[in-house]
Amino acid sequence: MWEATVDGRTLHFHVAGINNQNFIMRDDETGSWWQQATGECILGPLKGRRLKLSDHEELTFATWRRENPQGRVMRPDPAIAAAGKYAPANWEQRMSRMPVVTTTDGASEVFPPRTLVAGLTVGDASKAYPLDALRRQNPVIDKVGGVNVLLLVGEDGRSVRAFESSMDGRKLEFFLKPNALPLRVVDAETGSEWDFTGTATSGAFIGRQLRRLQVLEDYWFDWKTHHPDTGAYLLGER
Amino acid sequence: MKRSLALFFVVFIAVACVAVPVWLIQPFSSQTARALEVAYTLRRWSPLVTVAALLVSLFLIARMWRGARWWGKGLLTTALVFVCASAWFARQNQYDWMFKPLAHVAYARADDASFVADDDMVLAVRNNGGAVAYPVRLLAYHHLVEDTVGETPVVSTY
């Protein structure tokens, strides 16, 4: 998910190849090759340049629609849909069984290669959170690159968001509000309630918003290939 | 004899410079930085190299045609077909065949999007008041979709 403009010029991209199971895109304007996972130009006239990451997240459609009733949704192309080319509903489960070819040393693997992780990058530090661990320990409070972070799984059990968990220089501890629908977390310091967008809906912080952090969902093997120094969150770490 | 050797060499070059990148960057294999560089260089120059190969082989074949027997003419024709095919393939992007790009992407309003299930995942982009959802099941096929969200050109990738 990238902004397509480099040096004031809008580039147009096509898929041009595969590099260790992450695709390469080629821009029509200069013929350079770009790595999809990092937005970095790896070969050609623009080598070394990076596309700017655009604000994005992975959500269930229900969660997205609730928050963006005025938004628009990409339609399937009728011809491609008729040819049965689009991914089936159980696509995620199928992908989890696909082979992995990257050269990782099996013994030191923290998670199985196809583990779905939510990847966080703060400054120079990266950390991967398996979705399963996030679901079980919702919410997760942690520290990445010296920044206190809060990771939330929505009530759909699938959408993940991350926030800076400090407000006005105070580090906040969060707890899940039992049986709340839609989801609410409560901070231990003021008892304010916060929703899935990171906005306080009651208490001393009402109306305030936690700073959103970019989450990249990926398979562990791919995340680790592109973030070799990444940390890994283990269940029960705190 | 010299001419036929030269022709064989030219055909080999033309075929190799389109076949090697396909072999190097196939899915489900591991790529090194060196292999990618070779593939990139070949992809970059193959349109030119194959046309040069075509001109040289046309020249050679014209010279050899008269003296050739029927089977010789058959071989010369085959050689020409290979070089023409290479020149054509060098101008194709086989990934466009595999993951057909969309010239015009159509969109629906959030409430009208009956083609997405509630628990389907979407890639959501917000910018300057614009909000767009790209269903992951669609992106998993196209891999990339170009769009403008909140007046910013973006490329949505998956």
Side-chain angles (χ1 to χ4, degrees):
Chain A
M1 187 60 59
W2 308 97
E3 290 188 9
T5 306
V6 174
D7 300 336
R9 174 161 61 166
T10 298
L11 302 177
H12 295 86
F13 295 96
H14 282 91
V15 179
I18 305 280
N19 175 19
N20 293 314
Q21 295 185 309
N22 187 264
F23 77 82
I24 297 165
M25 41 195 201
R26 175 185 186 278
D27 71 72
D28 296 343
E29 283 71 17
T30 74
S32 302
W33 282 11
W34 305 77
Q35 191 69 57
Q36 181 258 337
T38 58
E40 189 184 351
C41 183
I42 53 171
L43 287 160
L46 296 178
K47 183 173 176 172
R49 307 300 302 273
R50 272 175 184 277
L51 298 176
K52 201 174 148 222
L53 195 65
S54 87
D55 234 351
H56 75 278
E57 48 189 355
E58 281 186 54
L59 304 170
T60 59
F61 180 59
T63 296
W64 176 83
R65 188 181 47 200
R66 191 183 65 218
E67 295 178 359
N68 300 280
Q70 306 299 321
R72 61 184 163 98
V73 190
M74 177 191 170
R75 275 185 188 282
D77 181 76
I80 292 165
K85 296 270 182 70
Y86 285 126
N90 64 349
W91 185 72
E92 238 173 52
Q93 287 89 51
R94 277 202 207 185
M95 280 304 283
S96 67
R97 291 193 292 270
M98 294 290 253
V100 170
V101 299
T102 40
T103 46
T104 43
D105 37 346
S108 67
E109 277 297 343
V110 190
F111 310 122
R114 286 274 178 194
T115 303
L116 211 46
V117 300
L120 266 189
T121 300
V122 182
D124 294 332
S126 298
K127 195 159 179 176
Y129 299 80
L131 255 53
D132 276 339
L134 292 176
R135 270 191 283 259
R136 278 200 241 167
Q137 224 167 47
N138 197 26
V140 165
I141 299 160
D142 200 8
K143 201 164 190 170
V144 180
V147 173
N148 296 307
V149 299
L150 160 73
L151 288 103
L152 274 185
V153 180
E155 67 260 20
D156 56 27
R158 185 60 184 78
S159 307
V160 178
R161 277 185 177 143
F163 306 91
E164 260 183 42
S165 64
S166 303
M167 194 45 102
D168 302 337
R170 287 167 77 184
K171 182 191 171 214
L172 303 179
E173 291 277 339
F174 291 90
F175 301 92
L176 198 62
K177 184 180 176 189
N179 305 321
L181 243 178
L183 169 134
R184 293 283 183 274
V185 287
V186 180
D187 73 74
E189 285 66 22
T190 70
S192 304
E193 290 187 13
W194 305 77
D195 68 11
F196 188 50
T197 67
T199 309
T201 56
S202 75
F205 283 127
I206 190 164
R208 303 288 302 277
Q209 204 155 10
L210 298 170
R211 201 171 81 84
R212 192 88 64 91
L213 298 171
Q214 181 73 57
V215 174
L216 273 179
E217 276 189 29
D218 201 353
Y219 295 109
W220 168 241
F221 80 88
D222 195 48
W223 174 260
K224 194 159 179 273
T225 302
H226 299 291
H227 303 84
D229 299 323
T230 185
Y233 180 79
L234 302 170
L235 202 58
E237 199 172 274
R238 272 180 81 249
Chain B
M1 195 60 200
K2 265 187 193 164
R3 281 192 188 131
S4 47
L5 257 180
L7 180 62
F8 179 79
F9 181 70
V10 169
V11 173
F12 178 81
I13 294 284
V15 171
C17 75
V18 294
V20 169
V22 172
W23 177 70
L24 282 177
I25 53 179
Q26 58 190 320
F28 298 108
S29 68
S30 187
Q31 280 85 19
T32 62
R34 182 82 193 120
L36 281 182
E37 205 175 330
V38 171
Y40 171 79
T41 308
L42 287 174
R43 288 293 293 173
R44 186 145 190 104
W45 291 103
S46 61
L48 204 68
V49 171
T50 50
V51 164
L54 183 59
L55 292 176
V56 172
S57 47
L58 275 174
F59 174 78
L60 289 170
I61 288 167
R63 290 292 188 89
M64 293 158 78
W65 191 262
R66 276 190 169 207
R69 307 265 296 271
W70 64 268
W71 53 269
K73 286 180 177 166
L75 279 179
L76 291 177
T77 310
T78 310
L80 191 62
V81 167
F82 269 98
V83 181
C84 284
S86 303
W88 171 78
F89 195 83
R91 284 159 177 74
Q92 300 296 313
N93 177 3
Q94 72 266 31
Y95 288 90
D96 279 352
W97 308 341
M98 275 190 256
F99 316 113
K100 205 171 163 299
L102 291 178
H104 301 286
V105 184
Y107 293 89
R109 291 178 33 205
D111 287 337
D112 301 337
S114 54
F115 47 87
V116 203
D118 275 358
D119 58 353
D120 274 350
M121 296 303 288
V122 297
L123 209 63
V125 181
R126 287 175 80 140
N127 189 31
N128 276 339
V132 188
Y134 306 91
V136 164
R137 284 163 63 185
L138 306 189
L139 284 189
Y141 168 76
H142 293 290
H143 281 306
L144 61 85
V145 170
E146 293 177 325
D147 197 357
T148 299
V149 183
E151 286 160 34
T152 303
V154 295
V155 52
S156 303
T157 60
Y158 196 84

